[in-house]
Amino acid sequence: MTSEIGVGLIGVGTVGGGVARALIERKEYFARQVGAPLVVRRAAVRDLAKPRSVDLAPGILTANVDDILGDPSIAIVVEVIGGEEPAGTYIRRALAAGKHVVTANKELMAKSGPELLAEAHRRGLDIMFEASVGGGIPLIAPLRRDLLANRITSIRAIINGTTNYILTSMAQEGTGYAEALAAAQQLGYAEPDPTNDVEGYDAAYKLAIMASLGFRTRVRPSDVHTEGISRLEAVDFRYAAELGYVIKLLAIAERTDGSISARVAPVFVPQPEPLAKVDGVFNAVQIVGDLTGTVLFQGRGAGAEPTSSAVVADILDLAHSLVLGSRERKYWDPEGDLPVESMDHVETRYYLRVTVGDRPGVLAQIAHVLGDHGVSIAAVNQKEANADEQTAELVVMTHRARESAMQAALASIRKLAVVMRVSSFLRVEG
Ligand code: NAP
Ligand code: HSE
């Protein structure tokens, strides 16, 4: 057996604590698999006085990251603090010091992954980031390696557990958004500041990473059209169910011949589809390859144990390469920089809920505007007339139409004197 491989942890929170526990508790098994013992030499945190979920030997914890970055006996640095900075600087410094890196940082990898990977490969090192997308679900390795022979044409995913938990509560318990969010926060599923999750940014980071790897092009988070769930109302979940749909925050990336599109938004999903059945904090990712057809990955996208499973797998992979004396595995470089289509080109069906004056001819005016813009109505229903206010709600389902046509029609509908407001507008992605 080769001599020990030193590991340095930057961060001992939810994920870092789980990683340290696994490395300590499964030490012998990992040593047998890798061919060398793995030893956590130092672990950096901000606050040395904070209680930890793992018992680390005295002298391991430090508040000084230099104790890791400057320690020549540490070969693998694990960054599990999150955010762009100082995580980015620490990773660059680790590479400059000749250390391999494992990270769970979706924001950093989505924004700067290609540059960081190029820097690592210039130095004959690797950055592994399985935990950055989908927690314990294997996704990065399949996209980097197992699906490489394919031309991937589509990625459709429920990739944020917090929002999926909130949407499942709203659908199954009939609760409003604020109530469902508060319950998720109480259970620890949603952060005190839930913006990153509920506004779709977390899902956009993860989609940018998956689409970049899957389509072998550069997809930046800013390329992803992003809408969150915070404006959804309980009534739309009821109407969705009546119409045979569920509402899910879907992350969708598609590749056509010369371009790609990427979007994150709450959408109607037909009830029979596999993604419609993914509830609570679970994640699922459906990838279509030309050789494989559709493959579906499903599981726990967050939490100490599932996420540590992904981080530790990356550590073991790197450690095994070190034992074998091999250089880094080839990173399958982007093949080009495919243009990203604007939302205007996307074509779906649509669900509209419009609050109107309850008067004769209103429906005809709305139908006329949609028709003028080439948007064909598939079904329409008048809901919940309010006798006091003399208003009614019209629910319209359309046939497939271009987003540009639909947006133009919406702008005209909003201008109609009989329309109080367009209360809801959701794409139907089935
Ligand atoms: P967390 O519980 O907040 O832990 C963060 C850890 O980093 C803490 O130990 C903190 O120290 C330490 N830290 C923060 N800034 C630091 C700095 N400047 N120097 C040294 N230590 C610092 O976060 P987490 O949930 O484990 O998430 C870590 C990463 O994993 C993030 O990139 C996240 O997106 C990703 N991730 C998390 C999950 C999940 O389920 N939680 C799932 C997938 C991916 P103190 O403890 O002293 O404050
Ligand atoms: N905040 C993320 C989620 C977990 O709710 O899915 C980490 O990726």
Side-chain angles (χ1 to χ4, degrees):
M1 194 168 281
T2 322
S3 56
E4 289 178 350
I5 294 177
V7 176
L9 292 180
I10 309 183
V12 190
T14 305
V15 178
V19 170
R21 255 195 324 277
L23 289 175
I24 293 165
E25 288 169 6
R26 298 173 189 211
K27 193 173 165 198
E28 282 80 25
Y29 166 61
F30 292 160
R32 284 197 304 277
Q33 289 301 315
V34 165
L38 290 163
V39 179
V40 178
R41 294 220 192 281
R42 301 306 297 267
V45 293
R46 276 175 305 205
D47 179 359
L48 287 172
K50 228 188 223 180
R52 302 286 155 193
S53 63
V54 57
D55 275 335
L56 293 167
I60 299 289
L61 269 189
T62 172
N64 183 359
V65 175
D66 293 345
D67 290 341
I68 291 174
L69 300 177
D71 182 342
S73 76
I74 291 176
I76 301 172
V77 169
V78 181
E79 180 278 305
V80 274
I81 61 178
E84 271 189 284
E85 284 300 338
T89 300
Y90 293 160
I91 289 178
R92 285 186 190 89
R93 285 185 55 202
L95 296 173
K99 300 175 194 309
H100 292 285
V101 171
V102 176
T103 177
N105 194 325
K106 67 213 88 161
E107 181 176 1
L108 184 64
M109 290 312 287
K111 290 180 178 169
S112 309
E115 289 79 17
L116 289 170
L117 285 160
E119 173 68 17
H121 291 279
R122 262 197 302 278
R123 297 175 182 278
L125 298 164
D126 213 343
I127 301 177
M128 304 287 278
F129 49 105
E130 183 61 63
S132 64
V133 184
I137 311 170
L139 287 165
I140 302 300
L143 284 165
R144 273 181 114 178
R145 201 195 84 93
D146 308 289
L147 295 171
L148 188 62
N150 287 263
R151 184 175 192 277
I152 292 173
T153 49
S154 137
I155 300 171
R156 289 160 59 87
I158 292 172
I159 202 64
N160 182 270
T162 306
T163 46
N164 204 42
Y165 180 84
I166 293 170
L167 297 181
T168 304
S169 303
M170 291 177 78
Q172 293 181 355
E173 288 153 35
T175 44
Y177 169 74
E179 200 183 329
L181 168 63
Q185 283 171 320
Q186 225 163 21
L187 289 165
Y189 292 142
E191 310 237 354
D193 175 0
T195 313
N196 244 1
D197 290 320
V198 300
E199 296 307 339
Y201 307 138
D202 175 86
Y205 295 146
K206 293 167 177 169
L207 185 67
I209 294 173
M210 288 194 292
S212 296
L213 294 175
F215 301 154
R216 313 262 156 219
T217 185
R218 178 83 190 253
V219 183
R220 296 165 179 81
S222 55
D223 293 330
V224 181
H225 172 90
T226 305
E227 296 171 28
I229 64 163
S230 58
R231 282 170 295 282
L232 291 176
E233 293 179 49
V235 65
D236 293 309
F237 289 79
R238 211 165 62 235
Y239 295 163
E242 284 172 17
L243 292 161
Y245 296 88
V246 293
I247 299 177
K248 293 289 183 192
L249 185 77
L250 280 202
I252 300 175
E254 289 163 334
R255 176 188 179 159
T256 53
D257 277 341
S259 62
I260 64 128
S261 65
R263 56 192 182 275
V264 168
V267 299
F268 272 35
V269 181
Q271 281 166 358
E273 279 209 12
L275 291 181
K277 299 180 177 72
V278 177
D279 285 332
V281 293
F282 278 80
N283 287 187
V285 179
Q286 214 175 38
I287 300 175
V288 181
D290 60 347
L291 301 178
T292 54
T294 302
V295 287
L296 180 66
F297 300 84
Q298 188 167 344
R300 292 184 186 278
E305 287 174 353
T307 311
S308 70
S309 159
V311 173
V312 173
D314 282 348
I315 297 173
L316 298 179
D317 205 2
L318 286 171
H320 195 225
S321 296
L322 289 170
V323 168
L324 295 177
S326 51
R327 281 169 60 88
E328 91 283 5
R329 275 64 37 95
K330 172 150 172 49
Y331 172 68
W332 300 95
D333 293 326
E335 299 253 296
D337 206 353
L338 291 175
V340 181
E341 279 188 354
S342 79
M343 278 300 284
D344 282 353
H345 297 268
V346 167
E347 226 184 81
T348 67
R349 293 183 295 134
Y350 301 91
Y351 158 90
L352 276 185
R353 179 164 58 87
V354 190
T355 308
V356 296
D358 197 5
R359 297 203 285 280
V362 172
L363 179 56
Q365 287 188 45
I366 290 176
H368 191 73
V369 171
L370 287 169
D372 277 354
H373 289 88
V375 180
S376 168
I377 293 175
V380 65
N381 207 337
Q382 177 168 326
K383 297 279 194 185
E384 298 190 356
N386 183 327
D388 293 342
E389 292 174 11
Q390 292 194 308
T391 61
E393 278 200 325
L394 287 180
V395 168
V396 180
M397 296 289 284
T398 76
H399 287 296
R400 282 179 80 80
R402 276 251 167 146
E403 179 87 11
S404 51
M406 192 64 217
Q407 290 297 344
L410 276 176
S412 301
I413 287 171
R414 286 193 180 98
K415 284 187 198 142
L416 293 174
V418 293
V419 169
M420 266 80 241
R421 64 188 166 276
V422 175
S423 303
S424 187
F425 162 75
L426 293 167
R427 296 175 197 90
V428 181
E429 301 271 16

